[in-house]
Amino acid sequence: MFHHLRTRVINSISGMFAHADMPLSGTSEYQGDPGLCGPGSVSWWVIGDVSVFVGGIRALLIQAAHPEVAAGVDDHSRYRDDPLGRLSRTSFYVTSATYGAMPEVEEAISRVRAAHRGVSGSSHRGRDYSASTSEFAAWVHNTLTDSFLEAYQGFRGRLSEAEADQFVSEQTKAGEMLGASPMPTTARGLRRWITSHPDLAPSPGMHAALAFLGNPPLPASQKIGYRVLLNGAVTTIPTEVNRVLGLQTPPASRFSCAGLVLILRRIMQHSPAWQAALKRCDVPYDPRLFRDVVG
């Protein structure tokens, strides 16, 4: 019974990320290449955990608080028409940048840069934006880093200050390749940069993004779990940012999300990308901790 349920859940969730190229499909060709982070990194642990689902939702919510970033998404992204495609492409980037060999990292970075070309315009408040500028790239990159870290610590386990700082420092490597700046190198510095950012404000793009994230076009069976993760993500958003977003959650949202994450962790186990990277680097691992092998 559990095996059948596990298979259904894995197929359902994995299918949501199958609308773009599969990351690390050829990673075995780069034997011994540790990539950006490597086997001893904190990033491999943090992004290999199922709490990354909560972190991804949290990042999208926080990113919407920046009017120019939100305008760029609203004006140029196909997230309404192809939400799973965008989700899959984002997953491809995060997975490749974290676990890929350097040629795979460089390909993922190149794809993001190509997608950002031509994404420019003006926000509702008359400020110009361009996805290629270092400041806007930094907002997206930094909020994603902070969100993965916060979700892991909130729904997996606390890291030491040194480990949290190491994770942030590791993630700046991808940000540097994207041309993002500024990029704080400590967890506390990163949180301060986000919560004290001077450009945050409500906007039409923000409201559109929040409306979509609140009710995405998912099957009913998936939407129930998504809502639990969404509400859990909202509980982790800093007060300073949520004053802009204006999000509220039902009572016990944090507890419900923690329970679901525990269930998903047992079912999904660790990321198969992590397993593939360990295998590429010839690092011993317990295959029982992983749900499948990539590549």
Side-chain angles (χ1 to χ4, degrees):
M1 178 67 179
F2 176 74
H3 177 74
H4 177 67
L5 175 62
R6 181 173 181 268
T7 300
R8 287 184 58 189
V9 172
I10 289 175
N11 289 341
S12 177
I13 295 177
S14 298
M16 296 174 65
F17 298 89
H19 295 258
D21 292 340
M22 184 66 65
L24 275 64
S25 60
T27 200
S28 60
E29 300 173 10
Y30 308 105
Q31 287 297 315
D33 187 333
L36 273 183
C37 301
S41 67
V42 178
S43 292
W44 282 21
W45 283 93
V46 170
I47 295 179
D49 186 67
V50 296
S51 59
V52 74
F53 298 145
V54 180
I57 296 171
R58 180 187 188 270
L60 292 175
L61 294 170
I62 294 179
Q63 287 165 9
H66 191 303
E68 283 65 53
V69 172
V73 172
D74 198 45
D75 293 345
H76 296 275
S77 175
R78 295 179 56 236
Y79 74 88
R80 295 184 187 86
D81 302 324
D82 185 25
L84 296 183
R86 186 187 182 216
L87 176 66
S88 297
R89 289 186 291 274
T90 301
S91 176
F92 179 93
Y93 162 71
V94 172
T95 302
S96 299
T98 303
Y99 295 107
M102 283 311 300
E104 295 170 307
V105 174
E106 290 162 358
E107 179 190 358
I109 297 291
S110 177
R111 290 191 183 197
V112 172
R113 285 185 172 278
H116 285 173
R117 293 191 194 106
V119 177
S120 60
S122 297
S123 68
H124 77 290
R125 57 185 179 183
R127 296 187 186 178
D128 292 338
Y129 66 79
S130 171
S132 298
T133 60
S134 59
E135 295 85 358
F136 295 148
W139 178 250
V140 174
H141 173 85
N142 289 339
T143 52
L144 192 62
T145 298
D146 182 74
S147 292
F148 285 151
L149 180 59
E150 179 65 22
Y152 185 87
Q153 298 206 103
F155 297 102
R156 174 62 180 182
R158 302 299 299 180
L159 299 172
S160 69
E161 183 175 353
E163 290 170 331
D165 289 348
Q166 182 180 338
F167 174 74
V168 174
S169 179
E170 290 165 358
Q171 292 299 303
T172 63
K173 297 175 184 178
E176 288 171 353
M177 293 179 70
L178 283 170
S181 179
M183 288 185 297
T185 56
T186 67
R188 289 185 180 180
L190 176 62
R191 180 61 57 83
R192 282 196 301 270
W193 183 85
I194 291 171
T195 57
S196 63
H197 202 289
D199 291 336
L200 307 190
S203 69
M206 183 194 84
H207 294 303
L210 296 184
F212 181 85
L213 291 169
N215 188 30
L218 296 173
S221 59
Q222 293 178 344
K223 190 173 290 188
I224 294 171
Y226 169 81
R227 290 289 304 181
V228 174
L229 298 177
L230 171 69
N231 289 332
V234 172
T235 68
T236 70
I237 295 176
T239 301
E240 298 90 339
V241 179
N242 204 26
R243 289 196 188 104
V244 176
L245 297 172
L247 298 170
Q248 298 180 341
T249 59
S253 291
R254 182 87 171 213
F255 179 80
S256 300
C257 184
L260 179 57
V261 169
L262 280 174
I263 294 171
L264 290 176
R265 185 174 292 120
R266 182 183 178 192
I267 292 174
M268 301 293 291
Q269 300 176 285
H270 291 314
S271 166
W274 185 4
Q275 183 182 17
L278 288 169
K279 186 176 181 180
R280 185 188 72 236
C281 294
D282 198 26
V283 176
Y285 63 88
D286 185 348
R288 295 173 298 178
L289 300 178
F290 299 87
R291 65 182 177 268
D292 201 358
V293 178
V294 175

